[in-house]
Amino acid sequence: MTYTTLSAAILVLSSLNTVAYATPSNTTTFSATSITGQQLPEGDAPIYLKFWATWCSYCLEEMPHLQETYQETHNKLQVIAVNVGFNQNIGLIRRYMNKHRYTIPTIFDAQGHLVQQFKVTGTPTHILLDSDGNEVYRSTLLTDELKQRLEALK
């Protein structure tokens, strides 16, 4: 097994072990450019970040839900997909998003700055931030509680 494959396996496996429930705490604000050139985040609405990768099967299974959430809540919630950049490239991400007709604003975190800032240890990771930038919820998979919190925003 190569170092890269082993690292990817560890990243995925570590994400399966925990569901962390965040208590509100200040999260540093961030600014990034999407793969389409859009400055994110926009405005002061709450933010739903999903950290993912094209090699993560759980991430890909959850993408239709993320697209649906984006379409149904984009006036009340900023939905942002953050590709972790590990063994990824922007062309691969664009092809994947275009193939599935996903329109979710997507950041390519090539250097891992957002992964570090938000202390992401595996994919997928879901993080909800309130309108003040405080982390109010975190999970490693699409949980019932996350679905309930998102449903409340529709």
Side-chain angles (χ1 to χ4, degrees), residues 107-123:
I107 296 168
F108 177 51
D109 193 21
Q111 303 302 316
H113 297 297
L114 293 175
V115 166
Q116 289 177 348
Q117 180 178 349
F118 288 95
K119 297 174 177 57
V120 173
T121 59
T123 59

Side-chain angles (χ1 to χ4, degrees), residues 117-136:
Q117 180 178 349
F118 288 95
K119 297 174 177 57
V120 173
T121 59
T123 59
T125 295
H126 303 264
I127 299 174
L128 294 180
L129 305 174
D130 67 14
S131 58
D132 294 323
N134 297 312
E135 184 175 317
V136 294

Side-chain angles (χ1 to χ4, degrees), residues 6-154:
L6 180 60
S7 297
I10 290 170
L11 188 62
V12 170
L13 290 174
S14 70
S15 73
L16 298 178
N17 292 330
T18 60
V19 173
Y21 300 93
T23 55
S25 62
N26 286 332
T27 300
T28 324
T29 58
F30 70 96
S31 178
T33 304
S34 75
I35 62 173
T36 61
Q38 178 182 9
Q39 273 305 118
L40 298 171
E42 297 178 317
D44 59 357
I47 300 170
Y48 172 19
L49 296 172
K50 178 188 177 181
F51 289 83
W52 69 288
T54 60
W55 44 257
C56 167
S57 60
Y58 290 110
C59 299
L60 302 183
E61 278 182 42
E62 296 174 351
M63 290 301 276
H65 180 269
L66 190 68
Q67 177 67 33
E68 180 182 319
T69 301
Y70 170 68
Q71 290 173 325
E72 293 178 356
T73 64
H74 71 272
N75 292 329
K76 300 176 184 177
L77 177 71
Q78 294 184 71
V79 177
I80 302 171
V82 181
N83 182 281
V84 297
F86 184 73
N87 280 346
Q88 305 283 274
N89 66 61
I90 204 159
L92 175 69
I93 298 160
R94 283 186 177 136
R95 282 190 302 278
Y96 174 80
M97 299 298 278
N98 290 336
K99 177 182 177 180
H100 298 281
R101 295 189 174 117
Y102 294 139
T103 58
I104 310 150
T106 302
I107 296 168
F108 177 51
D109 193 21
Q111 303 302 316
H113 297 297
L114 293 175
V115 166
Q116 289 177 348
Q117 180 178 349
F118 288 95
K119 297 174 177 57
V120 173
T121 59
T123 59
T125 295
H126 303 264
I127 299 174
L128 294 180
L129 305 174
D130 67 14
S131 58
D132 294 323
N134 297 312
E135 184 175 317
V136 294
Y137 183 78
R138 175 185 292 242
S139 70
T140 56
L141 293 173
L142 183 58
T143 64
D144 288 340
E145 183 175 354
L146 176 59
K147 288 178 183 178
Q148 289 171 350
R149 288 174 181 249
L150 293 171
E151 190 64 34
L153 294 169
K154 290 182 183 179

